[in-house]
């Protein structure tokens, strides 16, 4: 029986009983939590990264036979430089591959009753090359957590905000991280986390600021209590000030060295 017929019978029953029809209409109508929202990379972005990867691939593949031919024939002149180029090229190709897979495979769908995620798995030496799909009903979500993780020190501090879903069964499913200075418009994970919390009707928990170890993060090693050092906003501001002073001193030193070099060249006799 359709919802319209069910609602009509509800009106007839309510009229006979002399009762208001609001509650019966609510029971007859399907419950929804909002419109369906999909987060994914645009078609232009997917095509662009795929085109760049396929364009560079023949040049990258040709480096292997070139190096093998030189080494097997004992031609070492220029081979070291070619090896350096090959290593740099490999790093660039890996980064392009990661972005291409992320653009093609990553997808977050906020449905009426559940959220469906296809995102990087998040653990291991190469977390961006492995993907997992989760479909989580909103009724199974216990909380949505967010925190800022700080890596490095004064030399090169990096701050990322991450969000994850905690289910009632105890599972913790990572959404992803954003760089607050350069948020990916296709996957604003903090906005996604807030929407999921609102649809699930659960708390959006801010875990504060935590300092973490980058080597352990890259190797997929779970952090222990000693690895999670909480820092407050005052400590963060002080870290940013020290980093800014250090970068300013390095730039000033570089400018001074260049100026001395130019002056030295000008003072040499012609």
């Amino acid at each position: 029986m359709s919802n319209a017929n069910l609602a009509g019978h509800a009106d007839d029953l309510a009229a006979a009983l002399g009762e208001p029809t609001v509650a019966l209409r609510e029971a007859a109508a399907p419950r929804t939590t909002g419109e369906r929202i999909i987060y994914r990379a645009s078609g232009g972005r997917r095509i662009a990264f795929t085109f760049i990867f396929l364009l560079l691939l023949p040049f990258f593949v040709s480096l292997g036979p070139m190096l093998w031919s030189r080494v097997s024939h004992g031609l070492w002149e220029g081979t070291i430089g070619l090896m350096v180029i090959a290593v740099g090229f490999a790093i660039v190709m890996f980064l392009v591959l990661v972005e291409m897979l992320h653009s093609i495979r990553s997808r977050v769908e906020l449905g009426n009753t559940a959220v469906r995620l296809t995102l990087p798995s998040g653990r291991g030496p190469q977390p961006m090359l492995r993907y997992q799909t989760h479909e989580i009903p909103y009724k199974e979500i216990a909380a949505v957590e967010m925190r800022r993780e700080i890596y490095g020190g004064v030399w090169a501090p990096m701050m990322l905000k991450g969000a994850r879903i905690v289910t009632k069964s105890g599972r913790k499913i990572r959404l992803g991280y954003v760089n607050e200075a350069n948020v990916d418009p296709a996957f604003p994970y903090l906005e996604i986390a807030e929407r999921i919390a609102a649809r699930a009707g659960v708390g959006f928990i801010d875990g504060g600021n935590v300092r973490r170890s980058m080597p352990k993060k890259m190797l997929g090693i779970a952090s222990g209590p000693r690895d999670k050092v909480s820092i407050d906003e005052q400590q963060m501001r002080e870290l940013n000030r020290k980093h800014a002073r250090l970068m300013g001193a390095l730039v000033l030193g570089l400018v001074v060295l260049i100026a001395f070099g130019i002056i030295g060249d000008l003072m040499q006799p012609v």
Side-chain angles (χ1 to χ4, degrees), residues 214-255:
M214 178 59 75
K216 288 187 176 182
K217 183 75 171 182
M218 294 181 66
L219 293 173
I221 301 174
S223 58
R226 296 181 180 179
D227 299 321
K228 300 177 182 178
V229 182
S230 299
I231 63 174
D232 56 25
E233 293 295 333
Q234 178 62 33
Q235 291 174 312
M236 282 194 58
R237 286 194 293 269
E238 183 63 25
L239 177 65
N240 287 329
R241 280 196 295 268
K242 289 180 178 179
H243 175 66
R245 286 198 296 267
L246 177 61
M247 292 299 104
L250 291 176
V251 171
L252 179 61
L254 180 61
V255 171

Side-chain angles (χ1 to χ4, degrees), residues 115-193:
V115 55
R116 184 178 177 84
L117 312 168
T118 300
L119 293 171
S121 61
R123 288 285 182 191
Q126 297 178 342
M128 298 302 292
L129 297 182
R130 299 197 311 273
Y131 284 73
Q132 289 183 345
T133 299
H134 305 275
E135 185 163 354
I136 313 165
Y138 295 127
K139 63 182 180 181
E140 293 184 7
I141 297 176
V144 179
E145 299 177 344
M146 178 270 294
R147 73 178 183 183
R148 182 188 285 118
E149 297 182 357
I150 299 95
Y151 302 90
V154 176
W155 280 97
M158 182 174 65
M159 301 179 193
L160 299 174
K161 265 195 173 180
R164 66 183 182 183
I165 297 171
V166 182
T167 65
K168 293 179 180 178
S169 62
R171 282 197 308 159
K172 296 178 180 179
I173 303 167
R174 194 191 75 159
L175 288 175
Y177 290 88
V178 297
N179 185 339
E180 295 177 90
N182 186 24
V183 177
D184 185 351
F187 297 97
Y189 290 114
L190 300 184
E191 175 188 312
I192 294 172

